[in-house]
Amino acid sequence: MLNIKPSAAIRKNYNEISMLCKQTKEPVYLTKNGEGDLVVMDLETFARRESMLKLREALLQSEADIQNDRIRTVSDTATAMRRVIAEVSNE
């Protein structure tokens, strides 16, 4: 479910929007004059999304390495994937 609020709501109801972000773990979309303007989310959700994006990017690179024969065995693939996951987990 999309959480959409007018931009004035952030000024008037900051605590309510903050609580909504934390409870739903979803972003709140703010509009200005009826048009999309900003997206607000809690820090934990943002950090989780950033980690997922970095992991996805790294896994896509590993997949490209496999397709271009830079990684040749199942063992090499597993090692590369573990390395990528460890790198993203430590950031």
Side-chain angles (χ1 to χ4, degrees):
M1 180 176 126
L2 287 179
N3 295 310
I4 301 172
K5 304 281 184 187
S7 61
I10 195 84
R11 289 187 297 272
K12 295 177 184 174
N13 303 311
Y14 177 88
N15 290 333
E16 177 186 321
I17 291 175
S18 175
M19 184 83 84
L20 180 63
C21 289
K22 290 174 184 171
Q23 287 176 345
T24 64
K25 302 292 184 204
E26 294 291 328
V28 173
Y29 298 87
L30 300 176
T31 62
K32 184 175 182 179
N33 300 323
E35 299 287 329
D37 188 41
L38 297 171
V39 176
V40 180
M41 66 178 69
D42 71 293
L43 286 176
E44 182 182 321
T45 301
F46 177 76
R48 187 176 65 247
R49 284 180 183 228
E50 285 294 302
S51 291
M52 287 174 26
L53 287 172
K54 288 178 184 176
L55 176 60
R56 183 176 186 274
E57 185 178 308
L59 290 173
L60 286 172
Q61 181 60 53
S62 290
E63 184 177 337
D65 289 344
I66 292 166
Q67 291 175 354
N68 293 317
D69 289 328
R70 289 188 291 259
I71 298 176
R72 298 188 179 171
T73 68
V74 172
S75 177
D76 289 344
T77 302
T79 300
M81 292 179 113
R82 279 193 290 277
R83 178 183 47 76
V84 164
I85 291 169
E87 286 174 7
V88 171
S89 296
N90 290 330
E91 291 181 0

